Amino acid sequence: MRTPRNIFASISAAGLLLLTACGDGGDEETPESMTLWARGVAEDQAFLEALIEAYEDETGIAIEATFIPQEQFVQNFGTAAATGDGPDIALVDVAYMPYFASTGTLDPLTEQIQGLDYSEELAPSMLEAGTWDDEVYGVPFYLDVSMLYWNKDLFEEAGLDPEAPPADWNEFADAANAISDLSDDVNGFYVSGACGGCMTFHIFPFIWASGGDVMEGEDEATRPTLDDPVVTETYEFLQELWDDGVMPNGAQTDSGTNYGGGFGAGDLGMTMLGSWNISQLLTDEVDIDFGVAGMPGRNGEDPVSFIGGDSITVPADSDYPEAAFDFIEWITGEDAVEIMVDYNVMPSRMDLIEELMVPIDERYQAFADAVATGQTPQNVDQNAIYMDATSPMMTLNEAIFTGADIEAAQESAQTSAEGIAGE
Amino acid sequence: MALGAPAVIPKPHTSMRHPRKARSLSRQDSVFGLLMVAPVLVYTGIFFGIPTLLMVWMSLHDWPLLGDPTFVGMGNFSTAFADPVFRHAVVFSLGYALVQTPLVVALALLMASLVRRQSKGSALFRIIYLMPYVMGFGSSAFLWYWMVDDRTGAVKAVLLAVGINVNQSAWLSEFIPGVIVVITLTIWKTVGFFMLLMMSGMQSISDEVYEAATLDGANKVKQFFFITLPLLRPTLVMVFIFAITWGVLVFDQFYILTSGRPDNRTVSVVHWIFTNSFVRFDLGYGAALSVLVVLGLAAITYVQLKMLRNPED
């Protein structure tokens, strides 16, 4: 696999010379203000506004932030970029980084990123997902990392070791069943079955840790592999869990509104959640004792987490590309990260997760470990193939709950996915 | 006296005018008329005409959200005819409209009959019936999403209260239950609007007609079938055209409640246009599908107008 470290190594000294030439001493005037677009998730807004205020206080450069509803961000940003009306800085969901990177919408930042002291501390899989034809187009900004959360109280009640998360899928199934057997109100496991994005977050780690994948190749050559034998094993395993009744009925139709399945309420044994959720579980008045670990592979292989989040980018039509990168450097620097941590937002800097978040709660250590080894899908059609309600992967997800033949469902999903990839 | 006779409106006598004078008058009239409708023409041109032309132009291209369009002629249309999801979506949307329309029209007719006369409480019921209409489809769909929830929904509570315990958890993932939930929501949401249209249609029928019919010995049922329904024809035509059009263009409710499940069988044509345009970023193909839907709806409306035309016209 191509790693960002290799990418950087492959960039010659000429790049560095260019960087020196184009650095702070460039022709660009210092702007009075710059525009920034971000998707309008309420949690994002609060911490971004705090960051922007701190930046303005420090530099005197105003940042005019526009928050666009998440569902409309790609269309609005894409249309604005196409007509030259885009912002100077944009925060892009990493799922869409390959699309924007491949269409010339963004400025390549490879050399500038290489010039950062902490370039090797940035979440590697997110850098990789924002890389297209050996150029890096986005700086990882904040992360959402999928992990296995388990309720220690319920583990204990079910006669399991509360300090030992499942080491392989057999132990996982045993634990899920033992917890479900406790009472009708308690369930062993939960997925948001009708939420495409949630399902990729829940399921990809099962597949990756067991040595499989849902796509292969890179850049233009990426193709879907929903017919991978490990995908078969994963879906058959999840189907079995559903048939055993370890998931509550509502899992099948949950379009994300019940994401987490009420883990905080204490009636769920295990679920796959992101780093946002640990913050919520720590800040809300939640009265459960829980643990966080990576989801192991089928036979106990090392976990591979899903690393999602937002990358920060400079659109190709930015009026102030150099000042925009200065902003990016500031916002990924330690002062800014301290503000993010105050808002319980996980930064993309592996060193600072360890330094600033682990002291708050030692469970953050699992996340710090996961970021280094985690994976971020890189596919220009990621939404259309894996996440959208009509996507091939969503029809495959249905098979978990309907009892349909997994291999047949895979074959049909793979055919549709190849059709989309070939468009 | 024949029932319905007073409703025949005598046609104006235009043939007595001097032909020359009539022509010059009509020219003046038409200039004045054109001036009067000019603002609307400009408005329609900008907000309907130009976008429609652009849509047709886009439909002839491979038009990505980002990047340059390429002319493909009728390529998008041949793809559409071979696209199994689109073909299914057409059948599904038409079927949905055909099931939904008679139900909502019949209910609206019944409700309009109940509240048409000024009586104690009728104004209150008119408001109650119309209230869901002012909510957006998106918010109503989310409301229903919670109402049919297996654990916490109101439907579950009501059913349990009358001693029925059904597992509702898969309703929104199965074809028939999912469609029934959406139909129920749409009827609840739109019936008030159709009721209002029909009520005003009914109120325009003169009371004298009913009085005459009563004197002739026609009971309420006969009056409904032989006076109300025939005289309501123009309103009914409008209601049917609205209901069928909205049915074929159904989107939000299915998008939120069933999201195409099971196996993309509840994907409506508009949902598929949306997916191709804004998920797959294939704007040219989305435009081609839109052109087909507009043509299809125009044909359906034409047939409806023909079928529902007053034979005396």
Side-chain angles (χ1 to χ4, degrees):
Chain A
M1 189 180 135
R2 186 182 58 189
T3 66
R5 216 167 281 214
N6 293 341
I7 299 163
F8 292 139
S10 68
I11 294 166
S12 65
L16 272 176
L17 282 173
L18 193 69
L19 174 69
T20 324
C22 303
D24 292 334
D27 299 334
E28 187 182 294
E29 280 178 27
T30 306
E32 282 180 16
S33 70
M34 288 190 285
T35 50
L36 176 146
W37 285 11
R39 45 180 173 150
V41 182
E43 298 94 330
D44 289 10
Q45 265 175 254
F47 87 86
L48 263 176
E49 278 162 3
L51 285 170
I52 286 167
E53 203 183 312
Y55 182 73
E56 286 175 0
D57 289 346
E58 200 174 312
T59 63
I61 301 173
I63 301 291
E64 292 162 17
T66 305
F67 296 97
I68 297 165
Q70 181 153 321
E71 303 74 28
Q72 294 160 22
F73 186 86
V74 177
Q75 294 96 296
N76 287 17
F77 178 56
T79 313
T83 53
D85 297 323
D88 298 312
I89 304 158
L91 263 63
V92 175
D93 178 350
V94 71
Y96 293 102
M97 278 304 295
Y99 177 68
F100 287 121
S102 67
T103 46
T105 313
L106 307 172
D107 258 353
L109 305 171
T110 321
E111 287 138 18
Q112 290 100 310
I113 296 172
Q114 193 186 18
L116 297 172
D117 298 339
Y118 47 82
S119 65
E120 295 198 347
E121 296 295 342
L122 293 167
S125 67
M126 269 189 58
L127 267 178
E128 169 70 6
T131 302
W132 192 265
D133 286 341
D134 294 335
E135 291 279 10
V136 190
Y137 290 87
V139 180
F141 176 40
Y142 68 79
L143 308 180
D144 199 10
V145 180
S146 77
M147 298 293 265
L148 173 67
Y149 283 60
W150 82 96
N151 181 322
K152 293 184 178 179
D153 302 333
L154 290 178
F155 263 58
E156 193 157 18
E157 220 177 301
L160 303 158
D161 178 357
E163 298 307 323
D168 58 32
W169 291 7
N170 279 335
E171 285 190 25
F172 183 91
D174 290 345
N177 277 293
I179 291 163
S180 292
D181 291 343
L182 287 174
S183 88
D184 286 347
D185 299 329
V186 169
N187 290 97
F189 186 52
Y190 188 82
V191 293
S192 294
C195 163
C198 313
M199 288 300 269
T200 61
F201 213 58
H202 293 313
I203 293 176
F204 285 4
F206 280 81
I207 299 169
W208 289 335
S210 308
D213 208 341
V214 289
M215 59 189 84
E216 63 179 16
E218 59 189 37
D219 301 348
E220 290 92 347
T222 309
R223 61 175 290 276
T225 54
L226 290 173
D227 52 357
D228 185 320
V230 179
V231 175
T232 319
E233 288 176 3
T234 306
Y235 276 82
E236 282 176 353
F237 176 68
L238 292 166
Q239 197 178 50
E240 214 177 294
L241 289 177
W242 173 257
D243 291 345
D244 288 347
V246 306
M247 294 189 234
N249 288 334
Q252 183 178 5
T253 48
D254 178 14
S255 58
T257 46
N258 193 29
Y259 181 68
F263 183 77
D267 50 12
L268 184 59
M270 294 179 288
T271 185
M272 298 291 289
L273 294 175
S275 33
W276 283 111
N277 303 90
I278 183 169
S279 313
Q280 286 162 4
L281 291 168
L282 292 175
T283 51
D284 294 353
E285 288 179 10
V286 175
D287 189 25
I288 60 164
D289 190 9
F290 68 97
V292 180
M295 178 67 210
R298 186 180 177 82
N299 300 310
E301 297 91 336
D302 286 340
V304 183
S305 283
F306 188 121
I307 315 292
D310 271 22
S311 287
I312 186 155
T313 67
V314 180
D317 62 344
S318 171
D319 291 331
Y320 306 104
E322 288 168 25
F325 195 81
D326 290 343
F327 174 77
I328 293 178
E329 189 171 354
W330 180 86
I331 211 168
T332 49
E334 193 158 347
D335 291 348
V337 169
E338 277 176 10
I339 298 174
M340 289 168 74
V341 170
D342 284 345
Y343 282 82
N344 300 305
V345 175
M346 185 159 287
S348 59
R349 293 264 307 267
M350 293 185 288
D351 54 340
L352 296 181
I353 299 175
E354 293 245 20
E355 200 180 309
L356 300 174
M357 297 197 93
V358 176
I360 297 172
D361 191 292
E362 61 183 17
R363 280 169 285 204
Y364 279 117
Q365 186 61 53
F367 290 93
D369 297 341
V371 176
T373 55
Q375 221 169 300
T376 307
Q378 196 226 30
N379 193 314
V380 286
D381 297 311
Q382 192 173 325
N383 192 20
I385 296 179
Y386 305 96
M387 287 156 65
D388 182 63
T390 60
S391 65
M393 179 142 170
M394 275 302 278
T395 54
L396 178 56
N397 290 336
E398 283 181 41
I400 296 172
F401 310 104
T402 58
D405 179 65
I406 295 294
E407 285 189 34
Q410 276 179 283
E411 201 182 314
S412 146
Q414 176 65 13
T415 308
S416 320
E418 282 173 8
I420 297 169
E423 274 168 4
Chain B
M1 186 184 128
L3 286 176
V8 179
I9 301 158
K11 288 187 177 168
H13 298 280
T14 49
S15 54
M16 298 300 283
R17 284 193 186 134
H18 191 280
R20 225 171 138 185
K21 201 179 165 189
R23 207 165 35 236
S24 80
L25 256 181
S26 106
R27 193 173 297 134
Q28 266 182 10
D29 282 354
S30 61
V31 171
F32 182 67
L34 201 64
L35 279 174
M36 292 300 284
V37 297
V40 178
L41 282 181
V42 171
Y43 181 88
T44 314
I46 292 173
F47 293 104
F48 179 72
I50 296 173
T52 307
L53 289 176
L54 183 65
M55 175 181 79
V56 174
W57 179 242
M58 286 174 82
S59 73
L60 304 172
H61 293 75
D62 178 5
W63 196 300
L65 179 68
L66 294 165
D68 298 325
T70 334
F71 186 79
V72 292
M74 300 303 281
N76 284 326
F77 293 94
S78 48
T79 309
F81 289 118
D83 177 349
V85 183
F86 179 63
R87 289 200 309 214
H88 183 272
V90 169
V91 174
F92 173 70
S93 302
L94 280 173
Y96 167 78
L98 287 176
V99 173
Q100 157 90 31
T101 303
L103 293 173
V104 75
V105 172
L107 195 61
L109 199 56
L110 178 70
M111 282 160 58
S113 314
L114 294 175
V115 298
R116 61 182 284 236
R117 292 191 190 286
Q118 288 293 351
S119 62
K120 214 176 175 182
S122 68
L124 178 72
F125 277 100
R126 281 178 209 163
I127 294 169
I128 291 174
Y129 292 156
L130 192 65
M131 264 164 70
Y133 181 69
V134 298
M135 282 177 77
F137 257 121
S139 19
S140 323
F142 276 113
L143 189 69
W144 281 64
Y145 183 87
W146 286 111
M147 291 229 300
V148 298
D149 185 88
D150 188 50
R151 281 204 201 178
T152 53
V155 172
K156 184 82 173 184
V158 170
L159 288 178
L160 280 178
V162 293
I164 303 168
N165 191 0
V166 198
N167 180 2
Q168 296 171 205
S169 58
W171 274 9
L172 299 178
S173 288
E174 288 171 357
F175 186 76
I176 299 283
V179 172
I180 290 175
V181 170
V182 171
I183 286 181
T184 325
L185 156 68
T186 316
I187 289 177
W188 169 81
K189 169 92 178 63
T190 57
V191 74
F193 173 74
F194 292 128
M195 173 205 75
L196 203 67
L197 289 182
M198 294 213 239
M199 196 182 74
S200 35
M202 285 175 181
Q203 283 170 345
S204 67
I205 302 170
S206 162
D207 281 344
E208 289 167 17
V209 186
Y210 290 103
E211 281 161 20
T214 311
L215 287 177
D216 285 348
N219 60 23
K220 292 278 178 200
V221 177
K222 275 190 171 171
Q223 287 180 19
F224 179 78
F225 282 105
F226 293 103
I227 299 177
T228 311
L229 268 190
L231 294 184
L232 208 55
R233 184 187 280 270
T235 312
L236 278 174
V237 171
M238 185 164 67
V239 164
F240 268 104
I241 289 173
F242 267 127
I244 291 274
T245 308
W246 288 356
V248 172
L249 295 180
V250 65
F251 173 53
D252 312 39
Q253 309 95 295
F254 280 110
Y255 182 73
I256 291 168
L257 288 168
T258 66
S259 307
R261 282 168 289 145
D263 202 16
N264 287 343
R265 281 172 63 203
T266 57
V267 169
S268 67
V269 281
V270 178
H271 188 176
W272 196 233
I273 291 170
F274 173 84
T275 301
N276 280 284
S277 303
F278 302 117
V279 175
R280 302 185 175 184
F281 307 126
D282 193 351
L283 301 182
Y285 187 53
L289 299 183
S290 307
V291 168
L292 292 175
V293 171
V294 169
L295 291 176
L297 271 178
I300 293 169
T301 308
Y302 177 77
V303 171
Q304 276 182 282
L305 285 171
K306 280 267 177 204
M307 283 171 63
L308 295 165
R309 194 178 56 179
N310 192 338
E312 288 170 26
D313 283 349

